[in-house]
Amino acid sequence: GAGVSQSPSNKVTEKGKDVELRCDPISGHTALYWYRQSLGQGLEFLIYFQGNSAPDKSGLPSDRFSAERTGGSVSTLTIQRTQQEDSAVYLCASSLVAGDYYEQYFGPGTRLTVT
Amino acid sequence: GNSVTQMEGPVTLSEEAFLTINCTYTATGYPSLFWYVQYPGEGLQLLLKATKADDKGSNKGFEATYRKETTSFHLEKGSVQVSDSAVYFCALTPPNAGGTSYGKLTFGQGTILTVHP
């Protein structure tokens, strides 16, 4: 079946612009996670959704970052007024249910470059 | 806070060599431990996991044992293949206050493995 998909696969934007990154999880998966992979910080957690609610937003780096999930499915990560340090690969993962016993399936990522 | 430390890479081996990638962790309580792999051009995928002390996770010839006394989860494979060339990430999820985890992963920095024929 279809895996986790993310769009766009690559995004180049100018400093100060806003960007939206999209994640389509596996159908029926209730838990959705966003992570960021950058050279300086490695792989780091950003935010977690259970259904449409985000019980843990602790990894969002600043208030320029926000995310939402609608219909218990698609999620959008928005970065406002992008900075060069936002350049990274943004990964989305979903699992059937939140928890250690349920595998997280990762998407291919969106590579964001801020010039 | 919770953290994961992996051995520095890159690691370069010849085919059929023995592989060890060291991983140690710092966490409160009893975390669950994972190894993820990222093959060239592909997304992250779960390789194996262990959810309690002394458990051994295994998959595709890879093994790792959860050692609470040494806070370690070293990855091993007896005979590597060229197709094992990838980036390997050790990770943990901590239990929350209620004793259940929602799966928030904390990753190590990753180890690049290259296997030559």
Side-chain angles (χ1 to χ4, degrees):
Chain A
V4 177
S5 61
Q6 294 185 245
S7 61
S9 54
N10 279 286
K11 177 71 176 179
V12 181
T13 190
E14 291 181 353
K15 177 181 172 181
K17 303 279 190 179
D18 297 353
V19 295
E20 285 190 353
L21 312 180
R22 177 186 169 109
C23 172
D24 284 86
I26 293 172
S27 178
H29 280 195
T30 63
L32 186 147
Y33 308 80
W34 283 97
Y35 297 89
R36 181 169 72 171
Q37 187 172 21
S38 60
L39 281 177
Q41 302 298 321
L43 253 169
E44 53 184 348
F45 167 84
L46 297 178
I47 187 171
Y48 147 69
F49 287 92
Q50 179 60 50
N52 293 334
S53 301
D56 188 347
K57 308 178 185 179
S58 63
L60 295 179
S62 74
D63 58 8
R64 295 186 295 105
F65 287 72
S66 63
E68 65 174 10
R69 189 177 184 197
T70 56
S73 181
V74 172
S75 177
T76 302
L77 178 69
T78 301
I79 309 173
Q80 296 179 310
R81 305 182 302 282
T82 52
Q83 303 294 313
Q84 288 187 331
E85 61 263 28
D86 300 334
S87 296
V89 177
Y90 290 82
L91 298 174
C92 175
S94 71
S95 65
L96 186 63
V97 177
D100 297 342
Y101 296 98
Y102 299 93
E103 180 175 349
Q104 291 184 36
Y105 294 85
F106 282 79
T110 293
R111 181 175 298 277
L112 175 66
T113 304
V114 182
T115 62
Chain B
N2 301 309
S3 66
V4 177
T5 303
Q6 288 180 236
M7 66 184 289
E8 294 283 336
V11 175
T12 303
L13 295 173
S14 297
E15 207 165 25
E16 299 184 3
F18 184 85
L19 168 71
T20 300
I21 301 178
N22 289 337
C23 171
T24 57
Y25 67 89
T26 301
T28 305
Y30 293 86
S32 293
L33 301 173
F34 305 81
W35 277 99
Y36 278 81
V37 59
Q38 191 170 34
Y39 296 105
E42 298 185 19
L44 265 175
Q45 54 188 274
L46 178 65
L47 180 60
L48 54 83
K49 68 180 184 183
T51 56
K52 61 182 188 293
D54 299 325
D55 268 3
K56 177 186 283 187
S58 60
N59 187 23
K60 299 182 180 180
F62 291 89
E63 293 183 338
T65 300
Y66 188 143
R67 300 289 187 198
K68 179 66 177 174
E69 62 277 11
T70 54
T71 62
S72 65
F73 193 56
H74 304 321
L75 183 67
E76 296 182 335
K77 186 174 186 182
S79 176
V80 293
Q81 305 301 311
V82 172
S83 57
D84 294 326
S85 297
V87 184
Y88 291 81
F89 294 90
C90 186
L92 65 80
T93 59
N96 63 19
T100 59
S101 167
Y102 60 81
K104 171 184 173 180
L105 288 160
T106 296
F107 289 92
Q109 64 267 44
T111 302
I112 299 172
L113 171 66
T114 303
V115 181
H116 293 298

